[in-house]
Amino acid sequence: MEHVPSPREMNRVTHLYKTLCWTGDANGQLLLLDQTRLPLHVEHTLCTTAEDVWNAVKVLKVRGAPAIGVAAAYGVVIGLQASRKAPVDEFLQEVDRVTAYLATSRPTAVNLFWALSRMKSVASNCDASTAAEIHDRLLAEARLIELEDKAMCSAIGRHGSTLLKSGMSILTHCNAGGLATAGDGTALAVMFQAAADGKDIHVFADETRPLLQGARLTTWELQQRGIPVTLICDNMAAQVMKEGRIQIVITGADRIAANGDAANKIGTYGVAVLARYHGIPFCVAAPSSTFDLSLADGSGIPIEQRASEEVTCGFGTRTAPEQTIVYNPAFDVTPAGLISAIITERGIIQAPTTQAVREHLA
Ligand code: MRU
């Protein structure tokens, strides 16, 4: 049987923590840092079936648009392990079934669909004569998606860091860090790079109701990396801006339409409105895998609706009466007109428009 790294070994893979890790050959498994347990418990969960991966994405054990894409790619490999000896046409039918199944886990982050469609096209364009060979190629593709994601994070960090100067305080929302990617993150990669460049920066993290990705994950991650961070409740952002404590806002994105409208964690749109009112630049950091050029604008982005208990009974503590009616959209869309810049691995799109996005991604 393949060696499965212990959490201790896994955390040695990078200097601090690793969001996901494939172990072994095409019959291997996916080890995830269980983000539902952070920050109190650094625990890992092993995915050995496509259902495990689907569930991990659904309940946010693995989360953040790029990380979901990478996990889903490995989920395809896992879901096809039992079909390695099948005839090729049956194997290809299984590819369709497994990718369609994983696509139902969460609707908003386009990286999920992008990664699944890459996996599908590798299988259907592969000239291999056996299912096992195609399966090996699928593992190679999943590994490539992971490696590319790491490289995109580093490049986003390098480009975005040029926007930061010593003495700046940056507001971020949700978690767009290493925990949300296979690398150093998107929005947080900018901060990690600026700190590595010797810039003295400070981060304000919105706690990000209802699932507290800012409080639980962003503060944890920044503390791990030695970057000063101050946690605020979501409803404090306006006051903190008014007091002149924020010089720039940087968030991640789950899906960016062709005109630059950007979906991100619920509350991001409100932060962008506040930033505009206070004359503070609002920037989005995301890899090109987060763009969905099939959508002319953000109105077509599907917004995930999540369980009412996340609002009324978060983390097991009831905070609203039983039977309370709840509306719980997990994401919102910030119009491009409120976005000062989009930072990608290719550079920076200033004041995004359809034309600027098209030229940037060409
Ligand atoms: O519901 P989540 O935690 O998956 O939401 C994550 C976000 O909204 C992130 O900001 C986004 O995926 C970008 S991650 C680089």
Side-chain angles (χ1 to χ4, degrees), residues 24-35:
D25 59 13
N27 284 318
Q29 298 144 328
L30 180 64
L31 196 57
L32 298 173
L33 177 58
D34 183 348
Q35 299 190 35

Side-chain angles (χ1 to χ4, degrees), residues 7 10-20 33 35 38 42 44 175 177-185 188 192 217-218 220-225:
M10 194 159 144
N11 285 340
R12 237 187 265 133
V13 177
T14 61
H15 55 304
L16 294 160
Y17 50 87
K18 192 152 162 54
T19 301
L20 38 73
L33 177 58
Q35 299 190 35
L38 287 172
V42 180
H44 296 81
N175 173 269
L179 291 170
T181 66
D184 261 355
L188 294 200
F192 296 146
L217 308 178
T218 297
W220 182 81
E221 201 174 332
L222 289 167
Q223 285 171 2
Q224 299 283 314
R225 305 282 291 247

Side-chain angles (χ1 to χ4, degrees), residues 91-132:
F91 183 85
L92 292 177
Q93 280 171 20
E94 269 301 282
V95 172
D96 287 347
R97 191 191 63 76
V98 173
T99 51
Y101 166 66
L102 289 167
T104 62
S105 54
R106 292 188 79 187
T108 303
V110 78
N111 310 60
L112 171 71
F113 308 97
W114 170 87
L116 291 173
S117 119
R118 257 179 82 158
M119 297 297 278
K120 259 180 90 158
S121 89
V122 161
S124 50
N125 295 325
C126 185
D127 55 8
S129 53
T130 67

Side-chain angles (χ1 to χ4, degrees), residues 1-344:
M1 188 178 150
E2 284 302 324
H3 171 68
V4 176
S6 67
R8 185 186 292 269
E9 285 173 299
M10 194 159 144
N11 285 340
R12 237 187 265 133
V13 177
T14 61
H15 55 304
L16 294 160
Y17 50 87
K18 192 152 162 54
T19 301
L20 38 73
C21 174
W22 180 262
T23 119
D25 59 13
N27 284 318
Q29 298 144 328
L30 180 64
L31 196 57
L32 298 173
L33 177 58
D34 183 348
Q35 299 190 35
T36 62
R37 303 287 288 152
L38 287 172
L40 298 184
H41 306 277
V42 180
E43 289 177 5
H44 296 81
T45 184
L46 194 61
C47 296
T48 60
T49 63
E51 289 72 22
D52 288 345
V53 176
W54 187 96
N55 188 54
V57 171
K58 183 74 184 173
V59 305
L60 275 53
K61 287 182 183 179
V62 62
R63 44 145 302 281
I68 293 173
V70 177
Y74 284 122
V76 173
V77 178
I78 293 173
L80 291 160
Q81 285 168 340
S83 307
R84 280 178 70 85
K85 292 194 174 135
V88 167
D89 54 342
E90 264 176 45
F91 183 85
L92 292 177
Q93 280 171 20
E94 269 301 282
V95 172
D96 287 347
R97 191 191 63 76
V98 173
T99 51
Y101 166 66
L102 289 167
T104 62
S105 54
R106 292 188 79 187
T108 303
V110 78
N111 310 60
L112 171 71
F113 308 97
W114 170 87
L116 291 173
S117 119
R118 257 179 82 158
M119 297 297 278
K120 259 180 90 158
S121 89
V122 161
S124 50
N125 295 325
C126 185
D127 55 8
S129 53
T130 67
E133 282 175 70
I134 305 175
H135 192 230
D136 289 342
R137 278 286 298 116
L138 287 173
L139 174 61
E141 189 67 12
R143 288 192 195 281
L144 189 62
I145 289 172
E146 180 184 352
L147 277 177
E148 286 176 6
D149 188 54
K150 277 186 193 149
M152 287 194 281
C153 291
S154 306
I156 288 170
R158 285 195 300 277
H159 293 302
S161 169
T162 62
L163 300 174
L164 302 188
K165 295 191 180 65
S166 249
M168 274 187 162
S169 280
I170 306 123
L171 177 69
T172 192
H173 191 74
C174 193
N175 173 269
L179 291 170
T181 66
D184 261 355
T186 59
L188 294 200
V190 173
M191 302 167 207
F192 296 146
Q193 184 61 51
D197 292 344
K199 295 174 192 169
D200 175 22
I201 56 162
H202 185 101
V203 181
F204 280 86
D206 283 341
E207 71 176 346
T208 317
R209 279 273 291 154
L211 294 181
L212 305 183
Q213 288 92 333
R216 294 188 302 107
L217 308 178
T218 297
T219 53
W220 182 81
E221 201 174 332
L222 289 167
Q223 285 171 2
Q224 299 283 314
R225 305 282 291 247
I227 302 207
V229 53
T230 301
L231 177 64
I232 60 171
C233 300
D234 299 331
N235 52 6
M236 296 171 186
Q239 180 64 17
V240 173
M241 287 183 185
K242 190 173 159 191
E243 290 171 4
R245 295 179 194 272
I246 308 290
Q247 282 70 52
I248 189 169
V249 179
I250 311 180
T251 73
D254 284 80
R255 193 184 294 227
I256 304 176
N259 70 340
D261 289 355
N264 193 48
K265 179 51 56 194
I266 191 72
T268 304
Y269 171 37
V271 173
V273 172
L274 293 176
R276 174 57 56 90
Y277 182 81
H278 291 94
I280 297 167
F282 177 92
C283 304
V284 170
S288 48
S289 53
T290 300
F291 285 79
D292 181 353
L293 299 183
S294 75
L295 299 177
D297 60 44
S299 62
I301 298 177
I303 301 294
E304 179 181 12
Q305 303 294 325
R306 292 191 62 93
S308 56
E309 290 72 29
E310 289 181 353
V311 177
T312 57
C313 200
F315 306 97
T317 302
R318 179 153 285 283
T319 51
E322 303 270 2
Q323 313 302 331
T324 300
I325 295 169
V326 168
Y327 179 52
N328 184 19
F331 298 94
D332 57 27
V333 178
T334 300
L338 292 178
I339 299 174
S340 317
I342 301 178
I343 307 155
T344 80

